[in-house]
Amino acid sequence: FGEKGLVVVTLSSDMNPEMVKTFFKASNIDNLPVYMDQDMKVFQMLESKGLPVSSLLGVDGNEIRRFAGYVDWTKPEIRQLITDNLPK
């Protein structure tokens, strides 16, 4: 979906940034930057109840849908939700 305007932002609340970078490297994730929320300010701002949490934001920055826990991003209904909210 990247060619259609999808941007993925990762945000980790882990206390050790190097551990996150090591995980990304071991998982062959080399196309995503690592952003840290060690003081949990973003987590608190979003009033999240647990981790992990994923949010789908529209092009206007407003939250379209929030997912608590694991998300299978390959499911047809999730992919359709993303497609429906890509820039036209």
Side-chain angles (χ1 to χ4, degrees), residues 5 14 24-25 50 58 62 65 68 71 73-74:
D14 290 290
F24 271 42
K25 186 174 183 176
N62 289 318
R65 171 104 185 259
V71 178
W73 297 101
T74 65

Side-chain angles (χ1 to χ4, degrees), residues 41-83:
K41 286 185 179 178
V42 175
F43 182 80
Q44 292 167 1
M45 181 187 74
L46 294 174
E47 299 177 351
S48 297
K49 305 295 182 219
L51 293 173
V53 63
S54 302
S55 292
L56 179 61
L57 306 178
V59 294
D60 59 2
N62 289 318
E63 188 174 57
I64 296 166
R65 171 104 185 259
R66 184 177 300 185
F67 304 90
Y70 171 77
V71 178
D72 182 350
W73 297 101
T74 65
K75 282 187 167 184
E77 60 268 25
I78 300 295
R79 296 176 64 82
Q80 188 62 53
L81 179 66
I82 292 169
T83 301

Side-chain angles (χ1 to χ4, degrees), residues 5-66:
L6 178 71
V7 176
V8 175
V9 177
T10 62
L11 183 64
S12 175
S13 60
D14 290 290
M15 293 298 130
N16 184 342
E18 289 306 314
M19 185 174 74
V20 177
K21 291 177 186 176
T22 299
F23 171 79
F24 271 42
K25 186 174 183 176
S27 301
N28 294 318
I29 301 170
D30 57 5
N31 57 345
L32 294 175
V34 177
Y35 295 103
M36 301 300 296
D37 185 32
Q38 293 168 302
D39 56 10
M40 303 289 285
K41 286 185 179 178
V42 175
F43 182 80
Q44 292 167 1
M45 181 187 74
L46 294 174
E47 299 177 351
S48 297
K49 305 295 182 219
L51 293 173
V53 63
S54 302
S55 292
L56 179 61
L57 306 178
V59 294
D60 59 2
N62 289 318
E63 188 174 57
I64 296 166
R65 171 104 185 259
R66 184 177 300 185

